[in-house]
Amino acid sequence: MKHKSKTAWRWRSPGGITLLIILAIATFFLVTTYWAHIVPVLPWLLLLACPLMHLFMHGGHGSHNNNSEVGRK
């Protein structure tokens, strides 16, 4: 039997959908109101995203699994 995540189900409930809509509306108004303050920071956010993606996508250094049997005899 396939186990369903409680977290995924929670977002599909009426309360979860309502919360997502409220967050989307709040984000829209914050971005449109403070757009002049956001635009100058965008290049720095892009530069900050590079090391963060490296950390989170690789899972940190030392966790690479080198136990594959490909190419070994």
Side-chain angles (χ1 to χ4, degrees):
M1 185 158 84
K2 198 173 192 180
H3 181 266
K4 290 188 178 182
S5 173
K6 290 182 180 180
T7 313
W9 184 81
R10 191 177 305 151
W11 290 113
R12 293 181 184 169
S13 69
I17 292 171
T18 304
L19 179 65
L20 288 174
I21 291 171
I22 290 171
L23 288 174
I25 291 170
T27 302
F28 171 78
F29 282 114
L30 282 172
V31 168
T32 56
T33 303
Y34 296 105
W35 186 250
H37 302 287
I38 294 172
V39 171
V41 181
L42 286 177
W44 296 109
L45 290 176
L46 182 66
L47 286 174
L48 179 64
C50 294
L52 288 176
M53 283 192 310
H54 179 78
L55 284 174
F56 289 115
M57 293 180 80
H58 282 292
H61 290 284
S63 65
H64 300 283
N65 189 2
N66 292 328
N67 294 331
S68 69
E69 294 295 325
V70 178
R72 290 188 185 177
K73 283 193 175 188

